[in-house]
Amino acid sequence: MNELALMAHVMFGVACLVTTLWVFVDVLNVSEANQGRIRKMSCAAAVFMWLAFLIAGYWYVFSYPADKAIILKGPWPFAHNFFMETKEHLVILLLMLVTYLPVAAAGNLSSNKDARRVVLWVAGLVVLLALTMEGEGATIAMGVKMGLLAAHH
């Protein structure tokens, strides 16, 4: 069950990243025809991120303490001390931005250059933060692996 929760967390995080990138590209090519899709994909990105966050919260409370102990006893304690700590704080910014994305995308983007610019900045920041989070998660997973390998040698 713990592995499924972790995989679902990653899947929804990647889904957020992909839909937000889609929003970014659609806004670069905004027209009356794709504004509805921009709004729907902005909402989907927010839903995906909140699902990733809620699943991560469950996993963090019920499964991460064992992984944390392995990481801290292993050769990569920075995987927790820096990367997990950073991830725990950056997620708040990511949640705020992705929650704001549908609000920003609600206007008439094809005729409002300023609204378009805001959506591009918000979507761009979400994509960059989501990529950062994926890298941090990979480093944390590698910290567990390194800890387990060190315990067996």
Side-chain angles (χ1 to χ4, degrees), residues 13-32:
V14 170
C16 171
L17 180 115
V18 170
T19 53
T20 305
L21 185 58
W22 187 333
V23 167
F24 187 89
V25 172
D26 257 359
V27 172
L28 287 175
N29 302 290
V30 71
S31 68
E32 293 290 331

Side-chain angles (χ1 to χ4, degrees), residues 68-108:
K68 178 182 175 182
I70 293 167
I71 292 169
L72 293 176
K73 289 179 185 173
W76 281 29
F78 60 87
H80 171 78
N81 294 335
F82 179 78
F83 289 97
M84 181 55 95
E85 292 293 333
T86 303
K87 191 172 185 182
E88 290 169 2
H89 293 83
L90 285 180
V91 71
I92 302 304
L93 181 58
L94 181 57
L95 284 167
M96 287 190 305
L97 286 168
V98 78
T99 301
Y100 177 66
L101 187 61
V103 175
N108 187 344

Side-chain angles (χ1 to χ4, degrees), residues 2 6 9 35 39 43 76 78 97 99 105 108 139 141 148 151:
N2 293 332
L6 192 55
H9 163 66
Q35 284 193 116
R39 291 182 188 113
C43 289
W76 281 29
F78 60 87
L97 286 168
T99 301
N108 187 344
T139 304
L148 289 171

